[in-house]
Amino acid sequence: MGDRVHIKMCWSRAFLAGWVLLLVLLQYLQAVPIGIDKTKVKETEEKPEEPPASVDTGLHYDRYLREVIDFLEKDQHFREKLHNTDMEDIKQGKLAQELDFVSHHVRTKLDELKRQEVNRLRTLIKAKQDLEGGNDIAVDHQALLKQFEHLNHRNPHTFEVEDLDRLIKSATNDLENFDKERHEEFKRYEMMKEHDRREHLKTLDEEQRKKEEEHYEEMRKKHADHPKVNHPGSQNQLKEVWEEADGLDPEDFDPKTFFNLHDTNGDGFFDEQELEALFTKELEKMYDPTNEEDDMVEMEEERLRMREHVMNEVDSNKDRLVSLDEFLVATKKKEFLEPDSWETLEQNQAYTDEEMREFEEHLVQQEHDLNQRAVDLQKQREELERQQEQLNAQKIELQQAVEHMERLKSEKVDPPPEVHIEGDAVPEVHAADNQLHPDQEAHLPGHHETPEHHQDTQQEHQEQHNQGNQDLPQQGHPQAHHEEPPNQQEVAQGQHNLS
């Protein structure tokens, strides 16, 4: 958490991702840091030291912002106007009007940068729409359009005055919201820590709970027992740095010399990171990473509170940088010489009781939603498992059918035809030729007889009927049937022929 917060604060070196840096560059090339031999500076004139690299602002359009800044800096006219323009005028968009006087080469490159940025945003938005649409999530079109606020997306081809104006205002607004977001993040951290402590107490018996409460109060008192913390940016606070960090006599304190000593990059300004470095001695009075009672996340919040306070007091033009002139003016104020006491975090709880109550209610609702979601997912899982079982059963049946057909094929046995006739029995099939009996064939559905075939069939039936009558014995005289040897049958047949 501390590292992440520390990274967030680094964007200050490039105020608004470089707008003030352009002003600083002009002075940076002429600045000579204290303690460097001027003769050595002359030796390096052929290879001038490059200005410090700007730090990632954390904005989603950070790369586009940097590239626009870099190319505008190359135009001499725009560079001069930037040097002579007040920061408030820059924020109000007056500097953007100077874009009309930028060289054709720079304008052409800015057009190309804008087209690339528009294509990038369109690709990201399309991917997000596909993802959310595929998950049956309602797409927030207004939120998607906010991704284009730093440029005029209705004209995706050329970089105009409106684009520069939008870029400046968007960067100003987004960066200024960082502090607010940081405060909210720390507040949530503190409330969650308190919530976890309360939940832990619920798991203990009465005796254990009492011991835990006593230990908690002991740690709070131990943390609050520290040396007096000087008011950030006051004479006493700076003199302490002058004496302990710089090793100088506090009686010889000189604001201008102090400024030059701690302007570590020699650009003529205190940026936010350089300011926060001045508060290290004060923070060490309250926080020790080896102590159980000291929370390093709270230490970083305290550091940022101090920086924010000094910026509000000293940064008169609100450019998030402290110039030498602003610093010298501040050292002459009453607040610098006779400051009020500084209230630390333990004296200023980050949240109210009402906010804590709402936070815990929100956690309860979140837990309920997560449990319901878990139940729904379990039901979905069971349904998927049931469907998988059905598919496996069907797969087994299909495999068995395939194996049966392969076995019949290997045995060269034709499978009997499957004939299903509703309401009637399955017709008999003669094994000799697999042909249906004519009577059965005549009764099959869809069978049609010609008149000739019908007459022949009736004739055949009549002959069979007559033959049957001849074969029958005389009525009333039943004839016994005795089997005879084959030779006797032949003799009898011969006698019949002779007669």
Side-chain angles (χ1 to χ4, degrees):
M1 173 71 179
D3 292 339
R4 184 174 59 186
V5 172
H6 184 70
I7 291 172
K8 274 190 174 183
M9 71 187 183
C10 292
W11 63 266
S12 60
R13 287 199 173 204
F15 168 62
L16 304 182
W19 290 111
V20 173
L21 180 59
L22 299 182
L23 284 171
V24 171
L25 291 175
L26 299 177
Q27 299 181 9
Y28 177 83
L29 296 176
Q30 301 173 357
V32 180
I34 292 177
I36 297 179
D37 192 340
K38 292 185 178 180
T39 59
K40 294 182 180 180
V41 175
K42 291 182 180 179
E43 293 176 0
T44 59
E45 285 181 356
E46 295 180 359
K47 296 181 180 180
E49 185 179 357
E50 295 182 357
S54 54
V55 183
D56 193 330
T57 62
L59 303 176
H60 73 88
Y61 51 91
D62 176 79
R63 180 176 178 178
Y64 172 66
L65 178 63
R66 291 173 181 278
E67 291 176 339
V68 170
I69 297 289
D70 290 342
F71 275 94
L72 286 174
E73 180 192 3
K74 295 177 182 179
D75 185 86
Q76 183 63 28
H77 171 79
F78 192 88
R79 185 184 181 91
E80 291 176 355
K81 287 294 182 181
L82 177 63
H83 179 75
N84 298 320
T85 303
D86 182 78
M87 183 53 61
E88 195 61 34
D89 291 338
I90 293 178
K91 292 181 180 180
Q92 293 177 2
K94 293 182 179 180
L95 182 65
Q97 302 298 326
E98 300 298 326
L99 184 67
D100 290 334
F101 303 99
V102 170
S103 66
H104 176 72
H105 168 71
V106 173
R107 289 295 295 271
T108 301
K109 185 60 181 179
L110 292 176
D111 293 344
E112 180 182 344
L113 291 176
K114 181 179 178 180
R115 287 193 291 270
Q116 293 174 355
E117 177 70 1
V118 170
N119 289 335
R120 181 187 72 86
L121 291 174
R122 286 176 174 173
T123 301
L124 290 176
I125 290 176
K126 178 64 168 59
K128 187 173 183 179
Q129 287 178 322
D130 291 344
L131 178 63
E132 294 181 347
N135 293 332
D136 297 327
I137 301 175
V139 178
D140 188 348
H141 295 282
Q142 292 300 322
L144 294 178
L145 288 176
K146 286 182 69 67
Q147 303 291 320
F148 285 91
E149 284 188 345
H150 60 287
L151 50 77
N152 178 17
H153 62 88
R154 292 183 179 85
N155 173 19
H157 306 295
T158 58
F159 189 95
E160 305 295 341
V161 172
E162 182 182 356
D163 293 295
L164 182 56
D165 184 48
R166 281 172 173 256
L167 187 58
I168 294 174
K169 292 179 178 178
S170 294
T172 301
N173 181 67
D174 293 341
L175 293 175
E176 287 179 348
N177 284 335
F178 272 6
D179 282 344
K180 181 179 179 181
E181 293 174 0
R182 172 183 53 76
H183 284 304
E184 291 299 320
E185 181 180 355
F186 177 73
K187 182 187 294 185
R188 289 191 294 270
Y189 169 81
E190 288 289 284
M191 289 191 292
M192 179 58 75
K193 187 168 69 170
E194 175 63 16
H195 171 75
D196 291 341
R197 188 185 74 85
R198 294 178 181 180
E199 292 299 309
H200 174 64
L201 291 176
K202 294 178 181 179
T203 64
L204 305 178
D205 58 34
E206 185 176 353
E207 183 178 354
Q208 291 175 328
R209 190 181 305 113
K210 183 178 179 180
K211 290 181 179 180
E212 189 68 23
E213 289 283 14
E214 291 175 352
H215 178 71
Y216 173 73
E217 290 300 326
E218 180 184 352
M219 291 297 100
R220 288 186 60 184
K221 291 178 180 179
K222 190 175 180 180
H223 172 70
D225 185 18
H226 53 70
K228 178 184 176 182
V229 178
N230 292 312
H231 195 96
S234 67
Q235 184 181 45
N236 292 336
Q237 190 257 315
L238 298 184
K239 277 187 175 183
E240 194 171 279
V241 176
W242 174 275
E243 179 181 7
E244 297 185 11
D246 302 332
L248 301 175
D249 188 343
E251 298 298 326
D252 297 332
F253 178 77
D254 177 64
K256 185 174 182 179
T257 303
F258 181 90
F259 185 92
N260 290 329
L261 283 173
H262 294 277
D263 177 19
T264 55
N265 62 0
D267 61 5
F269 293 87
F270 275 165
D271 60 32
E272 295 182 344
Q273 189 176 18
E274 289 169 333
L275 275 179
E276 289 172 1
L278 300 178
F279 310 138
T280 301
K281 289 295 180 182
E282 300 302 317
L283 294 169
E284 288 176 350
K285 296 176 183 179
M286 299 179 286
Y287 297 94
D288 185 342
T290 62
N291 292 340
E292 177 188 354
E293 68 273 12
D294 297 335
D295 188 336
M296 293 301 103
V297 174
E298 293 179 355
M299 184 188 75
E300 290 303 320
E301 174 69 10
E302 190 75 77
R303 185 196 304 275
L304 296 174
R305 286 179 70 238
M306 291 179 173
R307 183 262 296 166
E308 194 173 33
H309 170 75
V310 172
M311 277 294 185
N312 290 334
E313 294 290 327
V314 183
D315 181 19
S316 57
N317 64 356
K318 305 304 178 186
D319 63 356
R320 306 182 83 89
L321 293 170
V322 176
S323 67
L324 175 59
D325 291 339
E326 289 174 327
F327 181 75
L328 294 178
V329 169
T331 59
K332 298 176 182 179
K333 294 181 179 180
K334 180 181 178 181
E335 292 79 4
F336 178 77
L337 302 173
E338 301 175 5
D340 297 329
S341 60
W342 175 253
E343 294 184 352
T344 58
L345 274 176
E346 65 262 16
Q347 297 170 296
N348 289 272
Q349 187 169 273
Y351 54 86
T352 64
D353 293 340
E354 179 64 19
E355 287 173 331
M356 186 66 194
R357 184 185 62 80
E358 293 177 356
F359 179 76
E360 290 191 317
E361 289 177 354
H362 178 68
L363 289 180
V364 171
Q365 183 62 44
Q366 275 189 327
E367 184 177 4
H368 176 268
D369 294 341
L370 288 174
N371 291 336
Q372 184 61 46
R373 179 62 176 162
V375 171
D376 294 341
L377 289 175
Q378 181 62 28
K379 291 180 179 179
Q380 293 178 12
R381 177 181 178 180
E382 293 173 356
E383 176 63 20
L384 289 174
E385 290 177 349
R386 186 186 64 79
Q387 294 178 3
Q388 184 63 43
E389 291 176 357
Q390 291 180 346
L391 289 175
N392 291 337
Q394 293 175 1
K395 182 179 179 180
I396 293 173
E397 291 178 359
L398 180 61
Q399 290 176 342
Q400 292 175 345
V402 171
E403 291 173 358
H404 178 67
M405 295 299 294
E406 290 294 333
R407 186 166 58 254
L408 292 177
K409 183 177 180 180
S410 63
E411 295 174 357
K412 295 183 180 180
V413 176
D414 295 332
E418 297 181 0
V419 180
H420 301 282
I421 304 176
E422 295 183 0
D424 297 325
V426 178
E428 179 184 355
V429 180
H430 289 259
D433 55 4
N434 289 338
Q435 297 294 324
L436 295 174
H437 191 278
D439 290 341
Q440 296 171 336
E441 182 179 357
H443 289 84
L444 285 176
H447 179 75
H448 301 283
E449 293 181 340
T450 60
E452 294 82 357
H453 182 271
H454 180 68
Q455 184 176 1
D456 294 343
T457 302
Q458 288 181 336
Q459 231 177 4
E460 182 180 351
H461 287 174
Q462 185 64 35
E463 291 176 357
Q464 292 176 353
H465 179 70
N466 295 338
Q467 182 67 30
N469 291 337
Q470 292 176 3
D471 292 340
L472 290 175
Q474 294 294 327
Q475 185 176 2
H477 301 277
Q479 181 177 353
H481 178 71
H482 300 281
E483 292 185 0
E484 296 179 354
N487 55 349
Q488 294 181 356
Q489 292 179 357
E490 292 175 359
V491 172
Q493 184 65 30
Q495 293 176 352
H496 177 74
N497 293 334
L498 290 175
S499 62

